[in-house]
Amino acid sequence: MTLDAFKQINTFVFDIDGVMTDGSVHVLETGEHYRTFHIRDGYAIERAVQAGYRLCVITGGKHEGVRKRLQNLKIHDVFMGSGGRSKIQIYQDWLTTSGIPEENILYMGDDLPDYEVMIRPAVLSTCPADACDEILAIAKYISSQKGGKGAVRDVIEQVMRAKGEWMKFEQ
């Protein structure tokens, strides 16, 4: 894959479990679940938002703690819980309302629910290093980082570096 593929990206679409988190679900004695996010992924997301990139999350989960984390990161396009719809249906509906050309979209997924979006020819499909075999086989870019361990930062940084934007906000 060439750097040109990264240069045309202005929108990131991410899964949560296995991409923004390592896929672990921690269960407290109360039965409440929580996820762990990597701080460097969060930093890269903040940088992307500041630089004017659009970010979207499509996840089957619907935990309030995750929603609050995404709000804190200023991600506005958040689709949690499928409501009986597949990720491809949610993605296509969002695509129609957003008007974003698919060649400007980078999608990062890690498991079979992401497959149908990732095989779309115009989408820059990416995945963490520890994605399932079927996703590794179709991804146009495989991060050297695992899900929840810097994979999100990796793809954001790749795009922003390709455009000469990564170091713009350093102080």
Side-chain angles (χ1 to χ4, degrees):
M1 192 183 76
T2 67
L3 277 180
D4 289 339
F6 287 118
K7 286 181 181 177
Q8 63 188 18
I9 301 303
N10 63 22
T11 303
F12 297 94
V13 181
F14 296 112
D15 179 26
I16 294 288
D17 294 322
V19 172
M20 287 187 158
T21 74
D22 67 4
S24 297
V25 176
H26 306 277
V27 182
L28 301 174
E29 289 180 17
T30 62
E32 186 178 2
H33 299 172
Y34 73 93
R35 311 291 197 282
T36 303
F37 292 82
H38 198 290
I39 195 72
R40 290 189 190 137
D41 287 344
Y43 175 72
I45 289 168
E46 288 175 351
R47 293 282 305 277
V49 169
Q50 289 172 354
Y53 289 87
R54 188 162 183 173
L55 281 87
C56 174
V57 168
I58 302 173
T59 180
K62 52 184 177 180
H63 297 281
E64 191 57 30
V66 171
R67 182 181 306 282
K68 288 179 181 177
R69 173 68 177 151
L70 299 175
Q71 287 172 343
N72 288 340
L73 292 171
K74 296 180 178 55
I75 299 174
H76 300 291
D77 295 326
V78 176
F79 302 92
M80 298 182 72
S82 64
R85 298 184 314 150
S86 66
K87 282 190 178 184
I88 188 67
Q89 291 169 319
I90 295 166
Y91 172 80
Q92 287 174 319
D93 288 348
W94 172 77
L95 199 60
T96 300
T97 59
S98 71
I100 299 168
E102 282 192 288
E103 55 272 0
N104 298 131
I105 296 173
L106 180 149
Y107 185 96
M108 181 172 261
D110 73 306
D111 210 344
L112 294 179
D114 303 301
Y115 189 90
E116 289 184 273
V117 177
M118 292 181 66
I119 60 171
R120 294 176 69 88
V123 172
L124 178 52
S125 58
T126 67
C127 68
D130 58 344
C132 76
D133 290 341
E134 294 85 355
I135 296 299
L136 289 167
I138 63 165
K140 295 174 185 164
Y141 176 81
I142 300 169
S143 175
S144 61
Q145 305 301 309
K146 294 180 178 181
K149 303 290 183 185
V152 169
R153 178 181 175 136
D154 177 39
V155 294
I156 290 173
E157 191 173 332
Q158 293 289 342
V159 168
M160 292 182 75
R161 281 190 187 279
K163 295 180 175 188
E165 297 172 339
W166 182 248
M167 297 302 288
K168 278 188 177 177
F169 303 108
E170 292 297 325
Q171 301 187 7

